[in-house]
Amino acid sequence: MSASRSDEYRRLATLVAATRETSGDVFGQAMVDWLRQHVGFDHCVIFGYRGAARPPLLFETFTPAESHVFVALYQEGPYLLDPFHHAAVERKEGFWRMRELAPDRFYASEYFRSYYSQTRLAEEVGFFVPLPGKDALVLSLMRLSASGPFGTADARLLRDMAPAVISFIRLRWPTLSIEEPAETKQDEEITEVNEFDRAHIWKSLSLTPREKHVVDLVLQGHSTESIARAMRIVPGTVKVHRRNIYRKLNIKSQAGLFARFVEIIDARIR
C-alpha cells in the first residue's frame, strides 16, 4: 500500500469513527467524496438487509424523483428479486459486479423489464458487508446509461479498495441497529423464515414446496437449466413443474407469473 493511500485510509478512519453517533448521511457523503477521487460514478446507495424483510435505507444520493424508483418502489417488493439482495442474504463479502451475481436469464426476466429497466442503469456494483447475526449491508455504486459501465481498470481498483471500504462500513455500523417503523405481524413471520428458502413468499399460492421454489427462481431470472442445477433435478422435471404452476395459477407466461408476484406484494403492503 502506498504512503498516500495509507494517509487517505487513516484520515477516513478518523472521520468514520467521529460519525458513529451521527446520521448515515455524514458517513455516506464522506465515502462518496473519497471514492469519487478514484472512480467516476453517478449514484451511491446503502441498504441494510435482514432476510426477506423490507430493507432499510441508510444513505442515498438520488433526487426525489430518482429516489421514488430506486428506493420507494424497490422497498415495496422488487428487492425480493434483486441479485444484490440474494447475495447479501447469502452473506457474500467483498466487491461484486451485478453481472457476476445475476442469474443467466436476469436481463430477459419480467423483473428486469418491469422494474430494473426503469433505473436506466448501465451498471451497478457493490461492496457487500456481512454483519453479526444474519444482517448485512451493501454499498452500491451506480453508473447511468449515459455514463456507460465501469471499465476494467475501475472495477479492478474498486476490488482492491474493498477491504478498506468494508472496514469503514463495519466501523460506522458494527450492527444493523437502526430505528425502523414497527413491523407488522406478517413482516415478523417473514423475517423468521430461513433466509435461504425463498419459497415461503408464495405461501398464498396453492403450490407444492418444490413448485414454490421454482416460482422464486423463475422470477429471479434463472433459466430452466440454471433452476435444474440449483435444485439438483433434471431440466425435464423443471419443465413439468412450470407447466403445473401455470395450470394451477391459470396463467400462460412468465409475465403472468410476475403479475401474480405484484399482486402478492400489493397485498402485503396494504
Side-chain angles (χ1 to χ4, degrees), residues 166-181:
I166 291 170
S167 295
F168 293 142
I169 291 174
R170 285 183 172 141
L171 182 59
R172 174 59 185 81
W173 285 289
T175 61
L176 191 54
S177 56
I178 59 176
E179 293 186 4
E180 276 285 285

Side-chain angles (χ1 to χ4, degrees), residues 17 30 33 46 59 67 74 98 111 118 194 205 265:
D33 292 344
I46 305 176
F59 174 76
S67 185
Y74 178 77
M98 177 65 79
Y111 165 74
Q118 295 182 59
N194 184 337
L205 307 180
I265 296 306

Side-chain angles (χ1 to χ4, degrees), residues 68-134:
H68 175 70
V69 174
F70 284 95
V71 179
L73 290 182
Y74 178 77
Q75 289 177 316
E76 286 180 5
Y79 71 89
L80 291 167
L81 305 180
D82 180 14
F84 274 26
H85 168 255
H86 285 265
V89 166
E90 291 168 1
R91 302 190 66 72
K92 286 190 181 295
E93 182 171 341
F95 173 83
W96 295 85
R97 306 178 79 165
M98 177 65 79
R99 67 183 68 172
E100 297 171 331
L101 299 174
D104 57 351
R105 295 285 293 167
F106 174 73
Y107 296 100
S109 68
E110 283 300 318
Y111 165 74
F112 182 84
R113 287 197 290 263
S114 299
Y115 169 73
Y116 200 86
S117 61
Q118 295 182 59
T119 64
R120 303 183 187 280
L121 291 178
E123 187 174 11
E124 180 177 5
V125 301
F127 297 97
F128 290 73
V129 188
L131 297 177
K134 296 181 179 180

Side-chain angles (χ1 to χ4, degrees), residues 22-228:
T22 65
S23 165
D25 290 344
V26 177
F27 168 83
Q29 193 57 56
M31 293 300 294
V32 165
D33 292 344
W34 174 53
L35 290 169
R36 277 188 172 143
Q37 293 177 25
H38 303 279
V39 174
F41 55 91
D42 294 303
H43 286 300
C44 174
V45 63
I46 305 176
F47 278 111
Y49 290 102
R50 293 169 162 165
R54 178 181 180 273
L57 172 70
L58 305 178
F59 174 76
E60 63 172 314
T61 60
F62 306 118
T63 65
E66 291 167 331
S67 185
H68 175 70
V69 174
F70 284 95
V71 179
L73 290 182
Y74 178 77
Q75 289 177 316
E76 286 180 5
Y79 71 89
L80 291 167
L81 305 180
D82 180 14
F84 274 26
H85 168 255
H86 285 265
V89 166
E90 291 168 1
R91 302 190 66 72
K92 286 190 181 295
E93 182 171 341
F95 173 83
W96 295 85
R97 306 178 79 165
M98 177 65 79
R99 67 183 68 172
E100 297 171 331
L101 299 174
D104 57 351
R105 295 285 293 167
F106 174 73
Y107 296 100
S109 68
E110 283 300 318
Y111 165 74
F112 182 84
R113 287 197 290 263
S114 299
Y115 169 73
Y116 200 86
S117 61
Q118 295 182 59
T119 64
R120 303 183 187 280
L121 291 178
E123 187 174 11
E124 180 177 5
V125 301
F127 297 97
F128 290 73
V129 188
L131 297 177
K134 296 181 179 180
D135 294 341
L137 265 64
V138 179
L139 184 154
S140 295
L141 301 181
M142 303 171 173
R143 296 193 67 175
L144 300 173
S145 297
S147 302
F150 291 90
T152 301
D154 288 341
R156 186 183 302 115
L157 177 57
L158 290 171
R159 204 177 301 277
D160 289 343
M161 297 170 73
V165 174
I166 291 170
S167 295
F168 293 142
I169 291 174
R170 285 183 172 141
L171 182 59
R172 174 59 185 81
W173 285 289
T175 61
L176 191 54
S177 56
I178 59 176
E179 293 186 4
E180 276 285 285
E183 293 178 321
T184 64
K185 181 178 180 181
Q186 187 177 21
D187 286 335
E188 291 172 355
E189 291 173 353
I190 289 172
T191 304
E192 291 171 1
V193 177
N194 184 337
E195 289 86 347
F196 295 97
D197 177 8
R198 314 287 302 165
H200 67 277
I201 299 167
W202 322 113
K203 63 182 180 181
S204 62
L205 307 180
S206 56
L207 305 175
T208 68
R210 276 287 177 108
E211 289 169 347
K212 292 174 184 177
H213 194 181
V214 170
V215 166
D216 187 54
L217 293 173
V218 168
L219 287 174
Q220 288 176 45
H222 287 271
S223 67
T224 295
E225 292 73 20
S226 180
I227 293 172

